[in-house]
Amino acid sequence: MKESWQELKDMIDAAHYIVFFGGAGVSTESGIPDFRSQDGLYNMKYKFPPEEIISHSFFERNPEEFYRFYKDRMLAPDAKPNKAHLALAKLEQEGKLKAVITQNIDGLHQKAGSKAVYELHGSVLRNYCMNCGKFFDEEYVLHSDGIPKCDACGGTIKPDVVLYEEGLDSHTINASIRHIERADLMIVGGTSLVVYPAAGLLDYFNHGNGHKLVLINKSSTARDGMADLIIQDPIGEVLGTVIGTD
């Protein structure tokens, strides 16, 4: 085991209240593209920039084009949890990991077995009629023609995903802050920590007094200067080895 991986293992063994904060890099090993990599959604060619398409105003103005992109690029029903998801679920079952706070919308943490998951940006697995509030799953949206419509009232269905121009859910934010404030080990993985307001949650971590911050990302992040340990290896390999996935 690499020296830095062993150091992470020692930190996990010594910790009592671990919180994991993750971004798109956690799911890329499951085949889900991130937004900012060379092959990510920001670099794909569409009639409109992806960040415009997945904005609230674009959804309101042009829901058909929104759903063409959304179904094509943001839904991955066949994606399976990777070693990172499975290792974190195991760590939760052992009682050490108290919360997974994720910027991802794919639901893979829950599929892996994690229970205490806080989805900052919502989930593609939840969809609601904007008129009557009826719930619809990912498959209903994926296999609908054009704009998904409610089978009860005919209203337009909207994903429970935080689009650009929309605010984060206050309950999710407040619960995440409470866990971060209590953490004695904060593991941040698969994110460059440039997307706000989500990245700003790290400001609530009580660094010092033996509390440790670990950053696991293939490239440098905006918070490298405050980290106790930086690991620039694939997160699935790291957590799968350090924690295990049995």
Side-chain angles (χ1 to χ4, degrees):
M1 190 183 295
K2 289 186 178 181
E3 184 177 338
S4 60
W5 297 18
Q6 182 62 53
E7 189 174 349
L8 173 60
K9 186 178 187 308
D10 293 341
M11 289 181 180
I12 291 172
D13 290 343
H16 300 286
Y17 203 114
I18 302 172
V19 172
F20 179 82
F21 180 96
V26 177
S27 292
T28 53
E29 291 172 52
S30 294
I32 296 178
D34 67 15
F35 273 76
R36 290 172 175 77
S37 69
Q38 187 172 352
D39 299 319
L41 296 182
Y42 271 29
N43 294 295
M44 302 223 171
K45 304 301 182 186
Y46 279 85
K47 193 183 297 184
F48 302 92
E51 60 266 36
E52 180 181 349
I53 295 175
I54 51 176
S55 67
H56 178 84
S57 57
F58 190 93
F59 174 80
E60 295 276 323
R61 186 173 69 250
N62 195 345
E64 190 161 5
E65 183 68 15
F66 169 88
Y67 269 114
R68 187 178 77 84
F69 176 87
Y70 180 81
K71 293 177 192 179
D72 186 33
R73 292 295 174 187
M74 299 189 71
L75 298 182
D78 297 327
K80 303 233 175 349
N82 61 53
K83 290 179 180 179
H85 300 105
L86 296 170
L88 291 168
K90 179 184 176 185
L91 199 60
E92 181 187 71
Q93 290 162 9
E94 293 173 353
K96 285 204 168 253
L97 181 66
K98 305 302 183 182
V100 169
I101 302 166
T102 180
Q103 300 176 78
N104 297 337
I105 58 176
D106 50 47
L108 290 179
H109 285 292
Q110 291 92 329
K111 287 181 182 178
S114 290
K115 307 295 184 188
V117 181
Y118 298 87
E119 297 170 310
L120 298 174
H121 297 152
S123 173
V124 299
L125 306 185
R126 300 186 299 269
N127 306 272
Y128 299 95
C129 173
M130 297 173 68
N131 186 47
C132 72
K134 183 177 178 180
F135 169 85
F136 295 90
D137 62 16
E138 180 184 24
E139 291 292 328
Y140 186 92
V141 170
L142 184 62
H143 297 299
S144 61
D145 292 326
I147 303 167
K149 295 292 185 178
C150 177
D151 59 7
C153 74
T156 297
I157 294 170
K158 183 180 182 296
D160 187 20
V161 170
V162 179
L163 304 177
Y164 286 106
E165 304 166 352
E166 295 179 344
L168 304 187
D169 176 70
S170 59
H171 172 76
T172 304
I173 286 288
N174 291 335
S176 299
I177 289 172
R178 286 196 297 271
H179 281 294
I180 291 171
E181 287 177 334
R182 295 172 186 168
D184 57 6
L185 174 58
M186 184 92 183
I187 302 174
V188 179
T191 173
S192 53
L193 294 172
V194 296
V195 176
Y196 281 78
L201 292 177
L202 260 67
D203 293 335
Y204 292 93
F205 177 58
N206 294 311
H207 209 184
N209 298 319
H211 296 179
K212 303 293 184 181
L213 174 65
V214 177
L215 302 180
I216 307 172
N217 200 51
K218 289 183 179 179
S219 58
S220 59
T221 79
R223 300 296 184 105
D224 283 6
M226 63 182 289
D228 297 287
L229 178 63
I230 298 172
I231 300 175
Q232 293 187 335
D233 295 310
I235 189 166
E237 291 182 26
V238 176
L239 296 184
T241 301
V242 170
I243 299 170
T245 56
D246 297 334

